[in-house]
Amino acid sequence: MKPLKIKRHQENFNKFCSYDLFVGSDKIAKLKNGEEKSVEISTELENEQLYAKIQWCGSTKINVNSIEPNATITITGNEFLNRRMPFIIGLFPVVGIIIFTGTSQLTKNIGIGVLILLLVFLVGTLTIGRSKWLRVEVG
């Protein structure tokens, strides 16, 4: 058995969601905002990978073999995706105003182009970047 200390800092974003911690396909812990737990990983799971999930998004994976016994694992949300992305999403109404109230064809085309870029960014973040939503750090 490998004892580990798992810690989640107090965060303003994702504060109502719990982070699930997995080793392989086995869920070993559920962390609420600001919570800290001690867990033990059994010897048959030491060749698996450790990662965190929140809803459909998660973190990169860390090999359990590379973690020292009694190490502290810190799980935090990605600063950009969790704090700054809502401001980018807030551009949708502004772009809508540009598209539908613009008097010239040029402003409408610019608004449509910005809207397409925002949609591509949003879809890319929720699909390709979903494994970067959380950070798992050993330290």
Side-chain angles (χ1 to χ4, degrees), residues 9-118:
H9 293 291
Q10 189 78 22
E11 300 171 329
N12 288 332
F13 50 85
N14 297 331
K15 65 181 168 184
F16 299 115
C17 299
S18 297
Y19 294 169
D20 296 326
L21 192 66
F22 289 88
V23 174
S25 60
D26 296 340
K27 183 176 170 181
I28 62 167
K30 184 173 197 159
L31 292 173
K32 295 180 181 174
N33 198 15
E35 192 174 18
E36 187 174 313
K37 287 186 178 180
S38 294
V39 297
E40 291 188 3
I41 298 176
S42 62
T43 54
E44 61 262 6
L45 294 176
E46 287 189 6
N47 293 326
E48 298 288 335
Q49 293 182 324
L50 181 129
Y51 61 97
K53 286 189 79 170
I54 178 175
Q55 298 168 353
W56 70 89
C57 298
S59 69
T60 56
K61 298 180 179 183
I62 299 174
N63 289 328
V64 176
N65 289 335
S66 65
I67 303 172
E68 296 294 323
N70 296 318
T72 300
I73 297 172
T74 306
I75 303 171
T76 56
N78 185 307
E79 184 79 20
F80 174 76
L81 295 176
N82 288 287
R83 247 193 206 157
R84 292 182 176 81
M85 186 143 156
F87 293 114
I88 294 171
I89 301 303
L91 290 175
F92 277 108
V94 173
V95 171
I97 291 171
I98 292 172
I99 292 172
F100 295 115
T101 62
T103 55
S104 72
Q105 190 63 33
L106 179 65
T107 58
K108 287 185 179 186
N109 289 339
I110 290 172
I112 290 171
V114 170
L115 179 65
I116 290 170
L117 286 174
L118 283 173

